[in-house]
Short mmCIF file of all heavy atoms in Angstrom, two decimals:
data_model
loop_
_atom_site.label_atom_id
_atom_site.label_comp_id
_atom_site.label_asym_id
_atom_site.label_seq_id
_atom_site.Cartn_x
_atom_site.Cartn_y
_atom_site.Cartn_z
N ASN A 1 2.26 -16.01 -23.97
CA ASN A 1 3.06 -17.22 -24.01
C ASN A 1 4.14 -17.17 -22.93
O ASN A 1 4.98 -16.28 -22.94
CB ASN A 1 3.75 -17.37 -25.38
CG ASN A 1 2.74 -17.52 -26.49
OD1 ASN A 1 1.86 -18.37 -26.43
ND2 ASN A 1 2.86 -16.69 -27.50
N ASN A 2 4.08 -18.12 -22.01
CA ASN A 2 5.16 -18.32 -21.05
C ASN A 2 6.11 -19.29 -21.75
O ASN A 2 5.98 -20.50 -21.63
CB ASN A 2 4.61 -18.90 -19.75
CG ASN A 2 5.68 -19.09 -18.70
OD1 ASN A 2 6.87 -19.01 -18.98
ND2 ASN A 2 5.26 -19.35 -17.48
N VAL A 3 7.03 -18.74 -22.52
CA VAL A 3 7.84 -19.52 -23.45
C VAL A 3 8.68 -20.58 -22.74
O VAL A 3 8.72 -21.73 -23.17
CB VAL A 3 8.72 -18.58 -24.31
CG1 VAL A 3 9.61 -19.37 -25.25
CG2 VAL A 3 7.84 -17.61 -25.09
N VAL A 4 9.33 -20.22 -21.66
CA VAL A 4 10.22 -21.16 -20.96
C VAL A 4 9.43 -22.36 -20.43
O VAL A 4 9.89 -23.49 -20.50
CB VAL A 4 10.98 -20.45 -19.83
CG1 VAL A 4 11.82 -21.41 -19.03
CG2 VAL A 4 11.85 -19.33 -20.40
N ALA A 5 8.22 -22.12 -19.93
CA ALA A 5 7.40 -23.21 -19.38
C ALA A 5 6.61 -23.94 -20.47
O ALA A 5 6.01 -24.97 -20.20
CB ALA A 5 6.44 -22.67 -18.33
N GLY A 6 6.61 -23.40 -21.68
CA GLY A 6 5.87 -24.04 -22.77
C GLY A 6 4.36 -23.92 -22.61
O GLY A 6 3.62 -24.81 -23.00
N GLU A 7 3.91 -22.81 -22.03
CA GLU A 7 2.48 -22.60 -21.79
C GLU A 7 1.98 -21.42 -22.61
O GLU A 7 2.68 -20.42 -22.75
CB GLU A 7 2.21 -22.31 -20.32
CG GLU A 7 2.68 -23.40 -19.38
CD GLU A 7 2.59 -22.99 -17.92
OE1 GLU A 7 2.79 -21.80 -17.60
OE2 GLU A 7 2.33 -23.88 -17.10
N SER A 8 0.74 -21.53 -23.10
CA SER A 8 0.09 -20.42 -23.80
C SER A 8 -1.29 -20.20 -23.22
O SER A 8 -1.99 -21.16 -22.87
CB SER A 8 -0.03 -20.73 -25.30
OG SER A 8 1.24 -20.75 -25.90
N PHE A 9 -1.68 -18.95 -23.13
CA PHE A 9 -2.97 -18.58 -22.57
C PHE A 9 -3.69 -17.65 -23.53
O PHE A 9 -3.09 -16.71 -24.06
CB PHE A 9 -2.79 -17.91 -21.21
CG PHE A 9 -2.05 -18.76 -20.21
CD1 PHE A 9 -0.67 -18.69 -20.12
CD2 PHE A 9 -2.72 -19.65 -19.40
CE1 PHE A 9 0.03 -19.47 -19.21
CE2 PHE A 9 -2.03 -20.45 -18.49
CZ PHE A 9 -0.66 -20.36 -18.40
N ARG A 10 -5.00 -17.89 -23.71
CA ARG A 10 -5.83 -17.06 -24.59
C ARG A 10 -7.17 -16.80 -23.91
O ARG A 10 -7.57 -17.54 -23.02
CB ARG A 10 -6.13 -17.78 -25.89
CG ARG A 10 -4.97 -18.05 -26.78
CD ARG A 10 -5.44 -18.92 -27.96
NE ARG A 10 -4.37 -19.13 -28.87
CZ ARG A 10 -4.23 -18.49 -30.03
NH1 ARG A 10 -5.12 -17.64 -30.42
NH2 ARG A 10 -3.20 -18.73 -30.80
N GLY A 11 -7.85 -15.79 -24.39
CA GLY A 11 -9.21 -15.53 -23.97
C GLY A 11 -9.38 -15.48 -22.47
O GLY A 11 -8.65 -14.80 -21.76
N GLU A 12 -10.35 -16.26 -21.97
CA GLU A 12 -10.67 -16.24 -20.54
C GLU A 12 -9.53 -16.77 -19.67
O GLU A 12 -9.51 -16.56 -18.47
CB GLU A 12 -11.95 -17.05 -20.27
CG GLU A 12 -11.79 -18.53 -20.54
CD GLU A 12 -13.08 -19.30 -20.41
OE1 GLU A 12 -14.08 -18.91 -21.04
OE2 GLU A 12 -13.08 -20.29 -19.65
N HIS A 13 -8.56 -17.44 -20.26
CA HIS A 13 -7.44 -18.00 -19.49
C HIS A 13 -6.23 -17.07 -19.43
O HIS A 13 -5.20 -17.43 -18.85
CB HIS A 13 -7.03 -19.35 -20.07
CG HIS A 13 -8.12 -20.37 -19.95
ND1 HIS A 13 -8.45 -20.96 -18.75
CD2 HIS A 13 -8.98 -20.87 -20.87
CE1 HIS A 13 -9.46 -21.78 -18.94
NE2 HIS A 13 -9.80 -21.75 -20.22
N LEU A 14 -6.34 -15.87 -20.01
CA LEU A 14 -5.21 -14.93 -20.00
C LEU A 14 -4.75 -14.59 -18.58
O LEU A 14 -3.57 -14.39 -18.35
CB LEU A 14 -5.56 -13.64 -20.74
CG LEU A 14 -5.41 -13.71 -22.25
CD1 LEU A 14 -5.98 -12.46 -22.90
CD2 LEU A 14 -3.97 -13.90 -22.66
N GLY A 15 -5.65 -14.56 -17.64
CA GLY A 15 -5.30 -14.19 -16.27
C GLY A 15 -4.82 -15.35 -15.41
O GLY A 15 -4.41 -15.13 -14.26
N ASP A 16 -4.84 -16.58 -15.92
CA ASP A 16 -4.46 -17.75 -15.11
C ASP A 16 -3.06 -17.63 -14.52
O ASP A 16 -2.85 -17.92 -13.34
CB ASP A 16 -4.56 -19.04 -15.93
CG ASP A 16 -5.99 -19.42 -16.27
OD1 ASP A 16 -6.93 -18.72 -15.84
OD2 ASP A 16 -6.17 -20.42 -17.00
N GLN A 17 -2.10 -17.20 -15.31
CA GLN A 17 -0.72 -17.08 -14.83
C GLN A 17 -0.61 -16.00 -13.76
O GLN A 17 0.13 -16.16 -12.80
CB GLN A 17 0.22 -16.77 -16.00
CG GLN A 17 1.67 -16.85 -15.66
CD GLN A 17 2.14 -18.28 -15.40
OE1 GLN A 17 1.58 -19.24 -15.87
NE2 GLN A 17 3.19 -18.41 -14.63
N VAL A 18 -1.38 -14.93 -13.90
CA VAL A 18 -1.36 -13.86 -12.90
C VAL A 18 -1.88 -14.38 -11.57
O VAL A 18 -1.31 -14.10 -10.51
CB VAL A 18 -2.19 -12.65 -13.39
CG1 VAL A 18 -2.31 -11.59 -12.31
CG2 VAL A 18 -1.58 -12.07 -14.66
N VAL A 19 -2.96 -15.15 -11.60
CA VAL A 19 -3.53 -15.73 -10.38
C VAL A 19 -2.52 -16.66 -9.71
O VAL A 19 -2.30 -16.59 -8.50
CB VAL A 19 -4.86 -16.46 -10.69
CG1 VAL A 19 -5.34 -17.24 -9.47
CG2 VAL A 19 -5.92 -15.47 -11.14
N THR A 20 -1.90 -17.53 -10.51
CA THR A 20 -0.91 -18.47 -9.97
C THR A 20 0.25 -17.73 -9.31
O THR A 20 0.65 -18.04 -8.19
CB THR A 20 -0.38 -19.39 -11.09
OG1 THR A 20 -1.47 -20.13 -11.61
CG2 THR A 20 0.69 -20.33 -10.58
N MET A 21 0.80 -16.74 -10.00
CA MET A 21 1.93 -15.98 -9.45
C MET A 21 1.50 -15.17 -8.23
O MET A 21 2.27 -15.00 -7.29
CB MET A 21 2.55 -15.08 -10.52
CG MET A 21 3.29 -15.84 -11.60
SD MET A 21 4.63 -16.89 -10.99
CE MET A 21 5.79 -15.67 -10.41
N GLY A 22 0.27 -14.66 -8.24
CA GLY A 22 -0.24 -13.90 -7.10
C GLY A 22 -0.33 -14.73 -5.84
O GLY A 22 -0.15 -14.22 -4.73
N ARG A 23 -0.62 -16.02 -5.99
CA ARG A 23 -0.66 -16.91 -4.82
C ARG A 23 0.74 -17.17 -4.28
O ARG A 23 0.96 -17.24 -3.09
CB ARG A 23 -1.30 -18.24 -5.20
CG ARG A 23 -2.78 -18.16 -5.39
CD ARG A 23 -3.37 -19.55 -5.62
NE ARG A 23 -4.74 -19.41 -6.05
CZ ARG A 23 -5.26 -19.98 -7.13
NH1 ARG A 23 -4.50 -20.74 -7.90
NH2 ARG A 23 -6.51 -19.79 -7.45
N LEU A 24 1.69 -17.34 -5.18
CA LEU A 24 3.08 -17.63 -4.81
C LEU A 24 3.78 -16.40 -4.24
O LEU A 24 4.48 -16.46 -3.24
CB LEU A 24 3.84 -18.15 -6.03
CG LEU A 24 5.29 -18.54 -5.86
CD1 LEU A 24 5.44 -19.72 -4.93
CD2 LEU A 24 5.90 -18.86 -7.22
N VAL A 25 3.57 -15.26 -4.91
CA VAL A 25 4.25 -14.01 -4.55
C VAL A 25 3.20 -12.88 -4.57
O VAL A 25 3.04 -12.18 -5.57
CB VAL A 25 5.38 -13.71 -5.56
CG1 VAL A 25 6.17 -12.47 -5.15
CG2 VAL A 25 6.30 -14.89 -5.73
N PRO A 26 2.45 -12.70 -3.46
CA PRO A 26 1.35 -11.73 -3.45
C PRO A 26 1.75 -10.28 -3.74
O PRO A 26 0.96 -9.51 -4.27
CB PRO A 26 0.78 -11.84 -2.03
CG PRO A 26 1.27 -13.15 -1.51
CD PRO A 26 2.55 -13.44 -2.22
N ASP A 27 2.99 -9.90 -3.43
CA ASP A 27 3.44 -8.53 -3.69
C ASP A 27 4.24 -8.44 -4.99
O ASP A 27 5.07 -7.55 -5.16
CB ASP A 27 4.26 -8.01 -2.51
CG ASP A 27 5.55 -8.78 -2.27
OD1 ASP A 27 5.70 -9.91 -2.82
OD2 ASP A 27 6.41 -8.28 -1.53
N ILE A 28 3.97 -9.32 -5.92
CA ILE A 28 4.72 -9.38 -7.18
C ILE A 28 4.66 -8.05 -7.92
O ILE A 28 3.65 -7.37 -7.94
CB ILE A 28 4.19 -10.53 -8.07
CG1 ILE A 28 5.17 -10.82 -9.21
CG2 ILE A 28 2.79 -10.25 -8.56
CD1 ILE A 28 4.86 -12.12 -9.94
N HIS A 29 5.81 -7.68 -8.46
CA HIS A 29 5.87 -6.48 -9.31
C HIS A 29 7.03 -6.64 -10.29
O HIS A 29 7.88 -7.49 -10.13
CB HIS A 29 6.01 -5.21 -8.47
CG HIS A 29 7.26 -5.17 -7.65
ND1 HIS A 29 7.39 -5.85 -6.45
CD2 HIS A 29 8.43 -4.55 -7.85
CE1 HIS A 29 8.59 -5.63 -5.96
NE2 HIS A 29 9.26 -4.85 -6.78
N ARG A 30 7.02 -5.81 -11.30
CA ARG A 30 8.05 -5.86 -12.34
C ARG A 30 8.91 -4.62 -12.23
O ARG A 30 8.41 -3.50 -12.21
CB ARG A 30 7.38 -5.91 -13.73
CG ARG A 30 6.60 -7.17 -13.92
CD ARG A 30 5.69 -7.08 -15.15
NE ARG A 30 5.36 -8.41 -15.57
CZ ARG A 30 5.88 -9.03 -16.62
NH1 ARG A 30 6.69 -8.40 -17.42
NH2 ARG A 30 5.56 -10.26 -16.90
#
């Protein structure tokens, strides 16, 4: 759950947010 954006991802869509962030910030890390 991306709580602030009001988005939830399950199953095959779990990686969608990772793909989106990877395009915006390819060297993303925590």
Side-chain angles (χ1 to χ4, degrees):
N1 297 307
N2 182 348
V3 178
V4 176
E7 302 171 327
S8 292
F9 302 90
R10 295 174 176 258
E12 66 186 53
H13 296 286
L14 278 171
D16 291 358
Q17 190 70 25
V18 174
V19 171
T20 299
M21 290 302 292
R23 287 186 191 128
L24 181 65
V25 185
D27 63 345
I28 194 168
H29 61 281
R30 295 167 159 255

